[in-house]
Amino acid sequence: MRLSVTSAAQERIQVIEQRTMTRDNLLAIVDKFKLFPERRTLMSPTQLVELMKKSIKIEPVVQPLAFARGNSLNPTIIFTVGFEYSDPQNAARVANELVTRILDLDLRDRTSRATDTTKFLAREVQRLQAESSLIDAKLAQAKLSPVRSSSR
């Protein structure tokens, strides 16, 4: 079971990384924090994106933590987010921005899943209520009809 939890965690981290490392996201971060000022005029947006990707590290925490053990059906996924840059304060700001974007994406995913689940459950309630009404109607009909003797 440990192997599947690890692969599920790895897969989830890859999805998080792919969604965070989109071209638009990375270029927005470059602009927001005015990164690579000496290179921006010389580099294309594609080159800036590649430079950003090389500077960002999103890696799983390999060592299991005490609070993360136990629930193999819904494993806790732990990873580190880092950004390497010449200015440590700007590097910290960018890393925080990446974490914020990851959390926002995760919140949207969870909200979407909860909404989908709520819609499914509402449909099931309607279906079961209709089924119950049909059974109630059949019972009422059976009570009204005369009892037939089976000894004819």
Side-chain angles (χ1 to χ4, degrees):
M1 187 66 170
R2 176 67 55 200
L3 190 66
S4 65
V5 169
T6 302
S7 66
Q10 287 285 75
E11 187 176 305
R12 182 72 180 130
I13 290 170
Q14 284 178 342
V15 168
I16 288 167
E17 191 170 0
Q18 287 170 354
R19 293 182 70 194
T20 305
M21 304 281 253
T22 64
R23 177 183 175 90
D24 290 344
N25 260 347
L26 296 181
L27 289 175
I29 292 170
V30 167
D31 287 340
K32 181 175 181 175
F33 295 99
K34 298 174 182 26
L35 300 174
F36 314 111
E38 68 287 348
R39 296 183 187 179
R40 285 180 77 168
T41 56
L42 304 172
M43 296 178 92
S44 70
T46 301
Q47 290 170 318
L48 282 172
V49 167
E50 287 307 310
L51 186 56
M52 281 294 288
K53 285 181 178 181
K54 288 177 185 172
S55 301
I56 295 171
K57 303 286 184 255
I58 299 176
E59 297 175 347
V61 173
V62 178
Q63 184 175 2
L65 301 175
F67 70 86
R69 291 186 202 144
N71 189 355
S72 61
L73 295 176
N74 190 12
T76 302
I77 299 171
I78 305 167
F79 55 92
T80 61
V81 176
F83 181 71
E84 294 179 16
Y85 193 66
S86 57
D87 176 8
Q89 287 181 334
N90 229 4
R93 287 185 196 106
V94 171
N96 284 333
E97 178 73 14
L98 290 166
V99 169
T100 299
R101 287 174 185 247
I102 289 168
L103 292 174
D104 287 346
L105 286 169
D106 187 55
L107 178 61
R108 277 188 250 146
D109 284 350
R110 288 173 185 255
T111 302
S112 175
R113 281 195 307 269
T115 300
D116 291 347
T117 301
T118 301
K119 287 177 183 176
F120 167 77
L121 291 174
R123 284 191 307 270
E124 283 298 295
V125 165
Q126 287 178 335
R127 184 184 66 78
L128 291 171
Q129 284 174 336
E131 216 174 273
S132 177
S133 294
L134 186 61
I135 291 171
D136 287 345
K138 286 181 181 179
L139 284 173
Q141 184 70 28
K143 286 180 183 177
L144 291 176
S145 64
V147 178
R148 295 184 184 148
S149 170
S150 61
S151 61
R152 279 193 172 175

